[in-house]
Amino acid sequence: MLLVERARSAAAMAAGEDGPGELLGHGHLAMTIDQGPDTSRYQGLVALEGKDLEHAAHEYFLRSEQIPTKVRIAVGEEVVVGADGTRQHWRAGGLVLQFLPRDPKRAQQADLDPGDAPEGVEPHSLPEDDAWREGRSLVATVQDDELIDPTVSSERLLYQLFHQRGVRVFRSRKLVAQCSCSREGVAAMLGNFSQDDRDHMVENGVITVTCEFCSATYVFHPSDVASDVANEEADAGRAEP
Ligand SMILES: [Zn+2]
């Protein structure tokens, strides 16, 4: 999840600092992995150090997943000419290449430098597997406009790149941007705290909860969230003569 402050990015653009790293600034990229119900989500954080999102993704895969990975991302403005005039919208495309050989030893990468090796020790290195070298060189030839060209389907692009190796296309899945958080869920979570704990959460008259996964913000009036226990006590109190 990435939030770029509009005002700050506009100021950077005006100053001619419009490189991806300059616009992103120095924050963190959070990679959230959610493998569905009955699994717990986990998150890897990578520092954005003035470089682009591809760089941050490579850092993540190197340090967290440790799978040889190449990421390509492109975004561009598209002008659509229709009967009702021209419309402009943004179009993004990307490609992730991973090396997942049957023998995991082939995908082994060198230890991260410096790691816990004593000073003066030569950085660890491993020869790169030929198949992986071939794959990442092919992906390096992909141009930005190929990634966002509406006439180049992902199947066509895959075939162009890897037809010599043979391409197998799996059934595609529709992607939607969503998080499993909800107002009801957050309210229920707040209900599990004691009244005293909740009183301490009140700031400027409200309780504000930000979802760490999608950055959605939920604002509650303190009287909107009461613990079940408190409700039961209130009910019991009312029932007394
Ligand atoms: Zn969320």
Side-chain angles (χ1 to χ4, degrees):
M1 181 71 207
L2 194 80
L3 295 174
V4 179
E5 288 171 59
R6 214 169 262 252
R8 222 200 284 175
S9 56
M13 299 270 275
E17 297 163 356
D18 54 3
E22 289 162 323
L23 290 176
L24 286 169
H26 292 253
H28 284 91
L29 172 80
M31 289 279 217
T32 305
I33 313 292
D34 184 347
Q35 306 198 79
D38 309 320
T39 62
S40 46
R41 287 191 281 189
Y42 63 93
Q43 201 166 58
L45 288 178
V46 198
L48 293 169
E49 289 159 334
K51 300 219 175 93
D52 58 21
L53 281 179
E54 284 179 6
H55 175 83
H58 291 148
E59 282 293 298
Y60 168 78
F61 283 107
L62 181 67
R63 288 170 195 283
S64 297
E65 308 254 329
Q66 298 182 352
I67 299 170
T69 302
K70 203 81 204 154
V71 178
R72 286 284 287 110
I73 313 168
V75 62
E77 212 166 4
E78 190 183 24
V79 181
V80 184
V81 184
D84 52 347
T86 58
R87 279 180 301 123
Q88 277 169 293
H89 59 94
W90 291 95
R91 194 176 165 85
L95 193 161
V96 179
L97 179 76
Q98 289 197 308
F99 185 41
L100 301 162
R102 279 207 186 91
D103 177 5
K105 278 204 202 96
R106 292 177 58 200
Q108 255 171 19
Q109 298 179 99
D111 293 344
L112 293 175
D113 188 47
D116 48 11
E119 213 174 307
V121 171
E122 275 282 297
H124 180 231
S125 72
L126 281 174
E128 213 174 19
D129 190 277
D130 286 346
W132 171 240
R133 190 184 300 129
E134 178 193 329
R136 67 169 181 73
S137 327
L138 286 170
V139 162
T141 65
V142 177
Q143 302 297 309
D144 283 1
D145 56 355
E146 290 178 285
L147 288 172
I148 53 176
D149 186 341
T151 66
V152 180
S153 67
S154 29
E155 290 85 352
R156 180 187 290 260
L157 188 59
L158 278 179
Y159 186 78
Q160 276 173 12
L161 291 172
F162 299 110
H163 64 95
Q164 279 173 334
R165 284 265 179 184
V167 173
R168 189 167 153 206
V169 176
F170 292 89
R171 199 182 295 272
S172 65
R173 274 206 222 168
K174 226 178 160 63
L175 296 179
V176 283
Q178 67 167 49
C179 178
S180 58
C181 69
S182 67
R183 191 172 171 81
E184 295 71 41
V186 176
M189 181 271 294
L190 287 173
N192 289 328
F193 285 95
S194 70
Q195 186 64 53
D196 189 47
D197 283 342
R198 272 200 308 275
D199 289 346
H200 283 95
M201 296 175 194
V202 178
E203 264 178 50
N204 301 322
V206 291
I207 299 176
T208 308
V209 178
T210 303
C211 172
E212 293 294 330
F213 291 104
C214 71
S215 297
T217 303
Y218 299 94
V219 181
F220 296 90
H221 197 268
S223 63
D224 292 344
V225 273
S227 63
D228 294 342
V229 180
N231 286 337
E232 277 161 26
E233 277 168 7
D235 290 345
R238 242 175 274 131
E240 272 169 31

